Amino acid sequence: MRTGLSACLAGLLLVACGPAPIASGINDPNEARNREIHAFNRGVDRALLRPTANAYSSVLPEPVEQGISNFATNLDAPGDVVNNILQLRLGRAAENTLRFAINSTIGIGGLFDPATAMGVAGDPTDFGETLHVWGVPEGQYSEVPFMGPTTDRDLVGVIVDVVTNPVRLALPEPESYYATGTKLASRLSDRARYGDTVDSILYESADSYAQTRLLYLQNRRFALGGAAGDAEGGFEDPYADFEDPYAE
């Protein structure tokens, strides 16, 4: 009990310090190793992930595939609520709670998404964003085998989200394995849905590693800055006029 209270107090103190500044530039001191891992990940995508995703998407009817993706997204909602609370964004926590309740009941366990039709869009988040809100800096850029691009902060966030996921902890075996399976199936759907974009980055750009790194950092920093700007009257994309030095 004391440990949990101490953790909560520490989190409150970190939130009081304010979010970490949005990083700029590229902090990639281990680029040589990261490029090797990127080459490995690209090989895995070419040999396994891309053909599996295309086969998965072609075999399943679109409504079934969408239902599985909806179900997987709904499983993330309790984790979003926990992170919203840790970020002291209680309005967003309430919205995500309502969304989970609607989709888990009217939406038949999350297979359907009536919450969006009712105007409850939700606010996806993660522990990496929580660390950002607590003032933890971005750290170094890196590539992780089978996972892809990340930063020191976001890698810790992914690990914590997986280990402490409320749904995974609440479900007994083998139900917890089914939940994991739907998450993997949802990733396959994403790979097929955005296949042309992913292929252009990995296989058609002059330097797929640099392109992947640039896009990941742009998107992640803009998402974190936009989330912080919601409470401050807006956020201007600092990369709007940034030219990709690796573009052909």
Side-chain angles (χ1 to χ4, degrees), residues 45-237:
D45 179 83
R46 186 190 298 273
L48 180 63
L49 185 56
R50 181 171 62 173
T52 302
N54 290 336
Y56 170 82
S57 185
S58 64
V59 169
L60 284 184
E62 194 280 332
V64 175
E65 185 178 359
Q66 185 61 53
I68 294 174
S69 295
N70 290 341
F71 182 79
T73 300
N74 195 55
L75 292 178
D76 287 336
D80 293 337
V81 173
V82 171
N83 279 300
N84 287 147
I85 294 172
L86 292 174
Q87 297 161 11
L88 295 186
R89 293 167 171 166
L90 302 186
R92 299 182 187 183
E95 180 180 0
N96 280 328
T97 300
L98 178 60
R99 177 179 174 81
F100 179 72
I102 293 173
N103 284 346
S104 296
T105 53
I106 303 176
I108 312 178
L111 292 175
F112 301 96
D113 183 18
T116 296
M118 298 168 66
V120 186
D123 178 50
T125 186
D126 52 61
F127 194 72
E129 183 173 352
T130 297
L131 292 175
H132 163 71
V133 171
W134 287 358
V136 177
E138 179 180 88
Q140 299 176 2
Y141 174 84
S142 61
E143 280 230 14
V144 178
F146 301 105
M147 175 180 164
T150 187
T151 62
D152 291 341
R153 181 176 61 202
D154 285 341
L155 180 58
V156 173
V158 169
I159 294 172
V160 171
D161 280 332
V162 170
V163 172
T164 63
N165 183 278
V167 173
R168 188 190 67 83
L169 295 176
L171 289 177
E173 298 179 359
E175 284 80 359
S176 60
Y177 299 143
Y178 301 154
T180 300
T182 60
K183 293 293 295 181
L184 294 175
S186 178
R187 295 293 182 266
L188 290 177
S189 291
D190 290 341
R191 177 61 179 89
R193 183 178 299 113
Y194 305 111
D196 290 343
T197 300
V198 175
D199 287 347
S200 69
I201 295 170
L202 291 182
Y203 307 115
E204 299 172 16
S205 57
D207 186 338
S208 63
Y209 173 78
Q211 188 80 345
T212 300
R213 178 179 63 189
L214 178 70
L215 292 174
Y216 176 82
L217 293 176
Q218 280 184 349
N219 291 335
R220 184 57 169 168
R221 290 170 181 176
F222 180 67
L224 294 178
D230 288 344
E232 299 169 4
F235 176 75
E236 182 178 353
D237 182 1

Side-chain angles (χ1 to χ4, degrees), residues 27-48:
N27 180 13
D28 188 7
N30 301 309
E31 180 173 342
R33 184 188 65 185
N34 286 332
R35 283 183 176 275
E36 293 177 356
I37 297 174
H38 176 78
F40 169 79
N41 285 338
R42 191 168 66 163
V44 171
D45 179 83
R46 186 190 298 273
L48 180 63

